[in-house]
Coordinates of all heavy atoms in Angstrom, one line a residue:
M11 N 0.8 -1.2 0.1 CA 0.1 -0.1 0.0 C 1.0 1.1 0.0 O 1.8 1.3 0.7 CB -1.0 0.0 1.2 CG -1.8 1.2 1.3 SD -2.8 1.2 2.7 CE -4.3 0.4 2.2
K12 N 0.5 2.3 -0.8 CA 1.3 3.4 -0.9 C 1.1 4.3 0.4 O -0.1 4.4 0.8 CB 0.8 4.2 -2.1 CG 1.6 5.4 -2.4 CD 1.1 6.1 -3.8 CE 1.9 7.4 -4.0 NZ 1.5 8.0 -5.2
N13 N 2.0 5.0 0.9 CA 1.9 5.9 2.0 C 1.4 7.3 1.5 O 1.7 7.8 0.4 CB 3.3 6.2 2.6 CG 3.7 4.9 3.3 OD1 2.9 4.2 3.8 ND2 5.1 4.9 3.5
L14 N 0.5 7.9 2.1 CA -0.2 9.2 1.8 C 0.1 10.1 3.1 O -0.1 9.7 4.2 CB -1.6 9.1 1.6 CG -2.1 8.4 0.4 CD1 -3.6 8.3 0.4 CD2 -1.6 9.1 -0.9
S15 N 0.4 11.3 2.7 CA 0.4 12.4 3.8 C -1.0 12.6 4.3 O -2.0 12.3 3.6 CB 1.2 13.6 3.3 OG 0.3 14.2 2.4
G16 N -1.2 13.2 5.4 CA -2.5 13.7 5.9 C -3.1 14.6 5.0 O -4.4 14.6 4.7
K17 N -2.3 15.6 4.4 CA -3.0 16.5 3.4 C -3.5 15.9 2.2 O -4.5 16.2 1.6 CB -1.9 17.6 3.0 CG -1.5 18.7 4.2 CD -0.6 19.6 3.7 CE -0.2 20.6 4.8 NZ 0.8 21.6 4.4
K18 N -2.7 14.8 1.5 CA -3.2 14.2 0.4 C -4.4 13.3 0.8 O -5.3 13.3 -0.1 CB -2.0 13.4 -0.2 CG -0.9 14.1 -0.9 CD 0.1 13.3 -1.4 CE 1.2 14.1 -2.1 NZ 2.2 13.3 -2.6
L19 N -4.4 12.7 1.8 CA -5.5 11.9 2.3 C -6.8 12.6 2.4 O -7.9 12.4 2.0 CB -5.3 11.1 3.5 CG -6.5 10.3 4.1 CD1 -6.9 9.2 2.9 CD2 -6.1 9.5 5.3
A20 N -6.7 13.9 2.9 CA -7.7 14.9 3.1 C -8.3 15.2 1.7 O -9.5 15.2 1.5 CB -7.3 16.1 3.8
K21 N -7.4 15.5 0.7 CA -8.0 15.9 -0.5 C -8.7 14.6 -1.2 O -9.8 14.9 -1.9 CB -6.7 16.2 -1.5 CG -6.3 17.5 -1.1 CD -5.1 17.9 -2.1 CE -4.4 19.1 -1.6 NZ -3.3 19.7 -2.5
V22 N -8.2 13.4 -1.0 CA -8.8 12.3 -1.6 C -10.3 12.2 -0.9 O -11.3 11.9 -1.6 CB -8.1 11.0 -1.4 CG1 -8.9 9.7 -1.7 CG2 -6.8 11.0 -2.2
L23 N -10.4 12.3 0.4 CA -11.6 12.2 1.1 C -12.6 13.3 0.6 O -13.9 13.0 0.4 CB -11.4 12.3 2.6 CG -10.8 11.2 3.2 CD1 -10.5 11.6 4.7 CD2 -11.6 9.9 3.2
E24 N -12.2 14.5 0.4 CA -13.1 15.5 -0.2 C -13.5 15.2 -1.6 O -14.6 15.5 -1.8 CB -12.3 16.8 -0.1 CG -12.2 17.4 1.4 CD -11.3 18.5 1.6 OE1 -10.8 19.1 0.5 OE2 -11.0 18.9 2.7
R25 N -12.7 14.7 -2.3 CA -13.1 14.2 -3.6 C -14.3 13.2 -3.8 O -14.9 13.1 -4.7 CB -11.9 13.8 -4.6 CG -11.2 14.9 -5.1 CD -10.1 14.5 -6.1 NE -9.0 14.2 -5.2 CZ -7.9 13.6 -5.6 NH1 -7.8 13.1 -6.8 NH2 -6.9 13.4 -4.7
H26 N -14.3 12.5 -2.7 CA -15.2 11.3 -2.5 C -16.3 11.7 -1.6 O -17.1 10.7 -1.0 CB -14.5 10.0 -2.1 CG -13.6 9.4 -3.1 ND1 -12.4 9.7 -3.3 CD2 -14.0 8.5 -4.0 CE1 -11.9 9.0 -4.2 NE2 -12.9 8.3 -4.7
G27 N -16.6 12.9 -1.4 CA -17.8 13.5 -0.7 C -17.7 13.6 0.7 O -18.7 14.0 1.3
W28 N -16.6 13.5 1.4 CA -16.4 13.6 2.8 C -16.3 15.2 3.0 O -15.7 15.8 2.3 CB -15.2 12.9 3.4 CG -15.4 11.5 3.3 CD1 -15.2 10.6 2.3 CD2 -15.9 10.6 4.4 NE1 -15.5 9.3 2.7 CE2 -16.0 9.2 4.0 CE3 -16.3 10.9 5.7 CZ2 -16.3 8.3 4.8 CZ3 -16.7 9.9 6.5 CH2 -16.7 8.6 6.0
Q29 N -16.8 15.7 4.1 CA -16.7 17.1 4.4 C -16.0 17.3 5.7 O -16.1 16.5 6.6 CB -18.1 17.7 4.6 CG -18.9 17.6 3.3 CD -20.4 18.1 3.7 OE1 -20.8 18.4 4.7 NE2 -21.1 18.4 2.5
L30 N -15.1 18.3 5.8 CA -14.4 18.7 7.0 C -15.4 19.2 8.0 O -16.0 20.3 7.7 CB -13.3 19.7 6.8 CG -12.5 20.1 7.8 CD1 -11.8 19.0 8.6 CD2 -11.5 21.3 7.5
L31 N -15.6 18.4 9.0 CA -16.6 18.9 10.1 C -15.9 20.0 11.0 O -16.5 20.9 11.5 CB -17.1 17.7 10.9 CG -17.8 16.7 9.9 CD1 -18.3 15.5 10.8 CD2 -19.0 17.4 9.2
R32 N -14.7 19.6 11.5 CA -14.0 20.4 12.5 C -12.5 20.1 12.5 O -12.1 18.8 12.0 CB -14.6 20.3 13.9 CG -14.4 18.8 14.5 CD -15.0 18.8 15.9 NE -14.9 17.5 16.6 CZ -15.6 16.4 16.3 NH1 -16.6 16.5 15.5 NH2 -15.4 15.3 16.9
T33 N -11.7 20.9 13.2 CA -10.3 20.7 13.3 C -10.0 20.6 14.8 O -10.4 21.5 15.6 CB -9.4 21.7 12.7 OG1 -9.7 21.8 11.3 CG2 -7.9 21.3 12.8
Q34 N -9.4 19.5 15.3 CA -9.1 19.4 16.8 C -7.6 19.2 16.8 O -7.0 18.1 16.7 CB -9.9 18.2 17.2 CG -9.8 18.1 18.8 CD -10.8 17.0 19.3 OE1 -11.3 16.3 18.6 NE2 -11.1 17.0 20.6
G35 N -6.9 20.4 17.2 CA -5.4 20.2 17.2 C -5.0 20.0 15.9 O -5.2 20.8 14.9
S36 N -4.1 19.1 15.6 CA -3.5 18.7 14.3 C -4.3 17.6 13.6 O -3.8 17.1 12.7 CB -2.1 18.3 14.4 OG -1.9 17.2 15.2
H37 N -5.6 17.3 14.0 CA -6.4 16.3 13.5 C -7.7 17.0 12.7 O -8.3 17.7 13.4 CB -6.9 15.2 14.5 CG -5.7 14.4 14.9 ND1 -4.7 14.8 15.8 CD2 -5.4 13.1 14.7 CE1 -3.9 13.9 16.0 NE2 -4.2 12.8 15.4
H38 N -7.9 16.5 11.6 CA -9.1 17.0 10.9 C -10.1 15.9 10.9 O -9.8 14.7 10.6 CB -8.7 17.3 9.4 CG -7.8 18.4 9.2 ND1 -7.6 19.1 8.1 CD2 -7.0 19.2 10.2 CE1 -6.7 20.1 8.2 NE2 -6.4 20.1 9.5
I39 N -11.3 16.3 11.3 CA -12.4 15.3 11.4 C -13.4 15.5 10.3 O -13.9 16.6 10.1 CB -13.2 15.6 12.9 CG1 -12.3 15.7 14.0 CG2 -14.2 14.4 13.0 CD1 -11.4 14.7 14.3
Y40 N -13.6 14.4 9.6 CA -14.4 14.3 8.3 C -15.6 13.5 8.6 O -15.5 12.5 9.4 CB -13.6 13.7 7.1 CG -12.5 14.7 6.7 CD1 -11.2 14.8 7.1 CD2 -13.0 15.5 5.5 CE1 -10.4 15.7 6.6 CE2 -12.1 16.4 5.0 CZ -10.8 16.6 5.6 OH -9.8 17.5 5.0
G41 N -16.7 13.9 7.9 CA -18.0 13.1 7.9 C -18.8 13.3 6.7 O -18.6 14.2 5.9
K42 N -19.8 12.5 6.6 CA -20.8 12.6 5.5 C -22.2 12.8 6.1 O -22.4 12.3 7.2 CB -20.9 11.3 4.7 CG -19.7 11.2 3.7 CD -19.9 10.0 2.8 CE -18.8 10.0 1.8 NZ -19.0 8.8 0.8
E43 N -23.1 13.6 5.4 CA -24.4 13.9 6.1 C -25.2 12.6 6.3 O -25.9 12.5 7.3 CB -25.1 14.8 5.1 CG -24.6 16.2 5.1 CD -25.5 17.2 4.2 OE1 -26.6 16.9 4.1 OE2 -24.8 18.2 4.0
E44 N -25.1 11.8 5.3 CA -26.1 10.5 5.4 C -25.4 9.4 6.3 O -26.0 8.3 6.3 CB -26.4 10.1 4.0 CG -25.2 9.4 3.2 CD -24.3 10.4 2.5 OE1 -24.6 11.6 2.7 OE2 -23.3 10.1 1.9
N45 N -24.3 9.6 6.9 CA -23.5 8.6 7.6 C -23.1 9.1 9.0 O -22.6 10.3 9.1 CB -22.3 8.2 6.7 CG -21.8 6.8 7.0 OD1 -21.8 6.4 8.3 ND2 -21.2 6.1 6.1
I46 N -23.2 8.3 10.0 CA -22.7 8.7 11.3 C -21.3 8.5 11.5 O -20.6 8.9 12.5 CB -23.4 8.0 12.5 CG1 -23.3 6.5 12.4 CG2 -24.9 8.4 12.4 CD1 -23.8 5.8 13.6
V47 N -20.6 7.8 10.6 CA -19.1 7.5 10.6 C -18.3 8.8 10.6 O -18.6 9.6 9.8 CB -18.7 6.6 9.5 CG1 -17.2 6.3 9.5 CG2 -19.4 5.3 9.6
R48 N -17.2 8.9 11.5 CA -16.4 9.9 11.5 C -15.0 9.4 11.3 O -14.7 8.4 11.8 CB -16.4 10.8 12.7 CG -17.9 11.4 13.1 CD -18.2 12.5 12.1 NE -19.4 13.1 12.3 CZ -20.5 12.8 11.5 NH1 -20.5 12.1 10.5 NH2 -21.7 13.5 11.8
L49 N -14.2 10.3 10.6 CA -12.8 9.9 10.2 C -11.8 11.0 10.7 O -12.1 12.1 10.5 CB -12.6 9.7 8.8 CG -13.2 8.6 8.0 CD1 -13.0 8.6 6.6 CD2 -12.9 7.3 8.6
S50 N -10.8 10.5 11.5 CA -9.9 11.5 12.1 C -8.7 11.4 11.3 O -8.0 10.2 11.2 CB -9.6 11.2 13.6 OG -8.6 12.0 14.0
V51 N -8.2 12.5 10.6 CA -7.0 12.4 9.8 C -6.0 13.3 10.5 O -6.1 14.5 10.6 CB -7.3 12.9 8.3 CG1 -6.1 13.0 7.4 CG2 -8.4 12.1 7.7
P52 N -4.8 12.7 10.7 CA -3.7 13.5 11.3 C -3.0 14.3 10.3 O -2.6 13.7 9.3 CB -2.8 12.5 12.1 CG -3.0 11.2 11.3 CD -4.4 11.3 10.7
V53 N -2.8 15.6 10.5 CA -2.2 16.4 9.6 C -1.1 17.1 10.3 O -1.3 18.1 10.9 CB -3.2 17.5 8.8 CG1 -2.4 18.2 7.8 CG2 -4.3 16.9 8.2
H54 N 0.0 16.5 10.3 CA 1.2 16.9 11.0 C 2.3 17.6 10.1 O 2.3 17.1 8.9 CB 1.8 15.8 11.9 CG 1.0 15.2 12.8 ND1 0.9 13.9 13.1 CD2 0.0 15.7 13.8 CE1 0.1 13.6 14.0 NE2 -0.5 14.7 14.4
G55 N 3.1 18.4 10.6 CA 4.2 19.0 9.8 C 3.8 19.9 8.8 O 2.7 20.5 8.8
N56 N 4.6 20.0 7.7 CA 4.2 21.1 6.6 C 3.2 20.6 5.8 O 3.0 20.0 4.9 CB 5.4 21.3 5.8 CG 6.5 22.0 6.7 OD1 6.1 22.7 7.7 ND2 7.8 21.7 6.3

């Protein structure tokens, strides 16, 4: 599996309909309106 940075993963999620709900420290929390699932993406460094 290919490694992805947090920023690149965030872009992929947004292209697939996930929305940034909030930022908590260096973690971005993503979700979808029709789904209760939440994803936490660590975005560290540059």
Side-chain angles (χ1 to χ4, degrees):
M11 180 180 269
K12 185 178 177 182
N13 291 332
L14 289 177
S15 70
K17 287 182 183 180
K18 288 184 181 178
L19 178 57
K21 287 181 184 180
V22 170
L23 290 174
E24 290 172 2
R25 276 185 274 167
H26 286 88
W28 292 85
Q29 297 176 347
L30 179 63
L31 301 176
R32 67 182 182 275
T33 301
Q34 189 171 12
S36 61
H37 290 74
H38 293 193
I39 312 301
Y40 284 87
K42 286 188 174 184
E43 287 185 23
E44 68 276 0
N45 199 333
I46 63 170
V47 174
R48 300 293 180 252
L49 296 175
S50 176
V51 179
V53 181
H54 300 140
N56 296 333

